[in-house]
Amino acid sequence: MTYDHVIVGAGSAGCVLADRLSADPARRVLLLEAGGRDWHPFIHMPAGIAKLAASPRHNWNYSTEPEPHLDGRRLWWPRGKVLGGSSSINAMCYIRGVRGDYDGWAAKTGDARWGWDNVLGYFRRSEGNTRGADALHGADGPLAVSDLHHRNPLSEIFVESATAAGFSRNADFNGEQQQGFGFYQVTQKNGARCSTAASFLREARGRPNLTIRTHAEVQHVLFSGMRAIGVDYRHHGRLKRAEAGEVILAGGALNSPQLLMLSGVGPADHLREIGVPLRHALPGVGRNLQDHLDVCTLSRCTQPVTYDKTNDVAVALEFLFRRSGVGTSNIAEAGGFLRSRHAEDERCDMQFHFVPALLDDHGRNRLDGYGYTLHACMLHPKSRGELRLKSANAREPIAIHANYLGDSAGHDLRMLVEAVRISRRIFAQSPFDPYRGAEIHPGADIDDERGIEAFVRRKAETVYHPVGTCRMGCDDEAVVDSELRVHGLHGLRVVDASVMPDLPSGNTNAPTIMIAERAADLILGRA
């Protein structure tokens, strides 16, 4: 079959593109997704994220290579493998970042259209905020954004404790200022998850000019000379081919650079070493890998108010019949942003997610009793990693060298030590007095600088925000230009988190959706 556009990956970006491009009935669009359909009930029940954590049917379950600055550990990287991609398995926090993030992108790409004053319109186009529209928010977009239907009482205790510790309260992290502590708005509609599959694809699925194929594993991009003309993909065990006027990679920060390299586009020496015939040398493919590294402070709770021992059946039934209760919670209900003493500009450089449950090793290590957890991550890491092929086999996972804490000046380690100290400071405030038990991590016996540094190396984990591996720009290391076209090739774009030059100040799902909205206009030739 021949299409106008083949989109590889039906995640946060791919679903947006499929909807916006297929809205033109003259365009034939094929959307390919390696995972299955988003039918599982735990996808749609927000609290079901705990049940989906390690499901190989919905999660790529990647792991890094041994991280040299984190005691040689292999860190677990969950990524969505289902319609909606990671927007179908994430914690649904709706965070856009701040003006300084996007003005920085504009400076690095040399294209003012990536600046805040321009991208804000794309955020507002997507957003269907239940609070209504204003200069910073949209109310009519397909992506439902709402306040949580259910909050654990400890989440309010956390916000009160943050203010008692001297930090401001903030009712809208996407408002005039980001700094402060409060409750996250979430991508939910009537208490259910609103992934990009549930929002952007719901109506588009019925269009005759849009074809959606799940369980379709793309093997290579096909070329005629320097023009992409389609893809080869494996579908239910059979090798198939789709030809297109344009191929759009939307597989995310791991899969898009992997597919480029498998197709002969990337660092020349590395591809020759692996045995992949070189099509086009682009040294930046797979480089510039950035992620938000996270450290958790855990405390026991003296009262049984946490989510550690909920009745799963009762939770599911209340959600199913009433769309209420614990099932509607994203678990990370409250949080905040602040400028630490290490901040280098006006932006916040630290983010917090509070969880009224004991959450160790992404919840995979179940701890006895009741407790609560505070995630703290640095927003602007200095460390950079890279991706490399392990072989020319498309089914072999990419090698992830995140290089956490690898910056020579030690900035990232200092930031996480500071994050632990601030987390403890918040937990020590009087609102927690009736609930506070013994500290589990780092542990009361760890208080000096070296001890906290060792704890960070032993326990820090990803907070699930990899970006930058096909970054846009106009220098020799850039992979795509400011219109997301792959440098030196024709008919090939990358549209996902991999094109971000730098991490935004917060969660990455909303910025990825914005990138796809903007890309759709570029492709359609709209101003």
Side-chain angles (χ1 to χ4, degrees):
M1 296 292 293
T2 300
Y3 300 87
D4 295 287
H5 310 280
V6 169
I7 303 167
V8 181
S12 296
C15 290
V16 176
L17 287 167
D19 175 31
R20 298 307 194 192
L21 297 180
S22 66
D24 178 355
R27 294 175 184 262
R28 291 173 54 84
V29 180
L30 173 63
L31 178 63
L32 299 174
E33 167 56 40
R37 293 193 174 269
D38 57 335
W39 61 268
H40 200 290
F42 286 151
I43 290 176
H44 304 285
M45 183 176 78
I49 56 176
K51 304 295 184 182
L52 292 172
S55 167
R57 297 178 64 179
H58 307 100
N59 193 332
W60 286 99
N61 284 314
Y62 290 112
S63 291
T64 70
E65 298 303 296
E67 285 294 315
H69 307 291
L70 294 178
D71 293 348
R73 293 184 293 129
R74 293 178 181 267
L75 274 62
W76 182 55
W77 277 28
R79 309 305 299 158
K81 186 182 180 183
V82 62
L83 284 181
S86 293
S87 76
S88 289
I89 67 169
N90 68 0
M92 294 155 279
C93 297
Y94 182 76
I95 298 293
R96 297 182 308 203
V98 298
R99 174 181 290 275
D101 299 329
Y102 302 102
D103 288 350
W105 289 14
K108 286 197 171 184
T109 60
D111 189 338
R113 294 175 298 175
W114 285 105
W116 173 252
D117 290 334
N118 290 284
V119 303
L120 175 59
Y122 291 106
F123 281 116
R124 295 183 72 250
R125 174 193 287 180
S126 294
E127 185 181 1
N129 200 309
T130 56
R131 294 183 185 179
D134 58 27
L136 294 173
H137 294 285
D140 300 323
L143 184 70
V145 177
S146 67
D147 297 315
L148 286 157
H149 282 212
H150 177 88
R151 295 174 179 174
N152 187 283
L154 279 181
S155 295
E156 178 60 39
I157 292 297
F158 166 75
V159 177
E160 292 176 4
S161 294
T163 57
F167 303 112
S168 61
R169 187 155 183 153
N170 190 343
D172 183 5
F173 299 134
N174 301 300
E176 291 291 343
Q177 67 172 12
Q178 187 182 59
Q179 184 161 312
F181 286 77
F183 291 92
Y184 286 106
Q185 281 204 297
V186 290
T187 49
Q188 292 182 11
K189 185 174 185 178
N190 299 325
R193 177 189 294 276
C194 187
S195 69
T196 55
S199 52
F200 287 89
L201 278 191
R202 187 174 298 278
E203 293 185 11
R205 283 173 174 169
R207 294 172 184 159
N209 62 322
L210 173 62
T211 302
I212 302 172
R213 294 217 173 105
T214 55
H215 304 290
E217 300 178 4
V218 176
Q219 310 293 296
H220 305 95
V221 177
L222 302 172
F223 291 92
S224 175
M226 304 302 282
R227 173 171 289 278
I229 59 169
V231 296
D232 279 337
Y233 65 100
R234 193 171 297 278
H235 188 233
H236 295 302
R238 296 179 59 191
L239 192 62
K240 297 183 178 181
R241 175 166 293 185
E243 296 181 354
E246 183 174 51
V247 176
I248 306 170
L249 306 187
L254 302 185
N255 298 92
S256 287
Q258 180 183 22
L259 185 56
L260 281 176
M261 288 190 275
L262 288 169
S263 306
V265 180
D269 291 344
H270 173 60
L271 297 186
R272 292 189 188 101
E273 175 188 359
I274 295 297
V276 175
L278 181 66
R279 167 71 57 176
H280 178 54
L282 269 182
V285 175
R287 295 180 183 170
N288 192 49
L289 175 61
Q290 304 166 48
D291 187 26
H292 286 145
L293 189 62
D294 177 82
V295 64
C296 290
T297 301
L298 278 68
S299 176
R300 294 205 177 277
C301 186
T302 58
Q303 299 188 39
V305 296
T306 70
Y307 292 148
D308 291 292
K309 296 183 180 181
T310 55
N311 184 317
D312 291 347
V313 174
V315 167
L317 289 174
E318 184 174 8
F319 173 79
L320 180 63
F321 291 108
R322 298 181 182 177
R323 283 294 189 269
S324 63
V326 176
T328 66
S329 172
N330 73 330
I331 310 302
E333 300 164 352
F337 295 82
L338 60 80
R339 292 181 73 251
S340 77
R341 59 194 177 97
H342 303 298
E344 298 180 340
D345 54 41
E346 76 285 352
R347 296 176 297 170
C348 291
D349 60 350
M350 202 173 286
Q351 181 182 6
F352 297 83
H353 296 82
F354 175 74
V355 176
L358 291 173
L359 199 68
D360 187 36
D361 187 19
H362 310 274
R364 298 186 300 172
N365 180 28
R366 299 302 298 270
L367 302 176
D368 292 333
Y370 300 93
Y372 45 88
T373 304
L374 184 53
H375 289 258
C377 77
M378 54 179 165
L379 292 173
H380 308 296
K382 304 293 186 183
S383 303
R384 297 291 184 270
E386 64 178 355
L387 306 174
R388 284 293 180 261
L389 295 177
K390 295 180 182 178
S391 75
N393 182 354
R395 290 193 165 184
E396 185 160 10
I398 194 84
I400 305 169
H401 302 273
N403 193 35
Y404 292 119
L405 306 185
D407 63 302
S408 58
H411 166 272
D412 293 357
L413 182 57
R414 286 195 301 273
M415 283 294 301
L416 289 185
V417 170
E418 181 78 358
V420 172
R421 295 197 184 281
I422 293 173
S423 298
R424 282 174 154 177
R425 174 180 161 190
I426 294 173
F427 278 178
Q429 301 304 311
S430 60
F432 270 115
D433 287 351
Y435 306 95
R436 187 187 308 106
E439 183 177 277
I440 300 173
H441 294 311
D445 58 329
I446 298 176
D447 195 44
D448 63 294
E449 195 86 359
R450 287 191 176 182
I452 298 176
E453 287 180 357
F455 165 71
V456 168
R457 295 186 190 279
R458 186 173 70 252
K459 294 295 289 183
E461 295 284 351
T462 176
V463 74
Y464 322 121
H465 299 156
V467 308
T469 48
C470 294
R471 72 168 175 85
M472 56 178 163
C474 48
D475 59 284
D476 291 341
E477 285 283 319
V479 176
V480 299
D481 65 15
S482 65
E483 297 201 357
L484 309 183
R485 299 168 297 198
V486 176
H487 282 300
L489 297 172
H490 304 285
L492 182 62
R493 295 185 202 244
V494 181
V495 181
D496 54 36
S498 71
V499 306
M500 297 182 188
D502 291 304
L503 275 161
S505 300
N507 308 69
T508 52
N509 188 53
T512 300
I513 293 170
M514 177 277 291
I515 288 170
E517 287 276 29
R518 172 141 166 54
D521 270 8
L522 290 170
I523 294 166
L524 294 169
R526 295 173 178 163

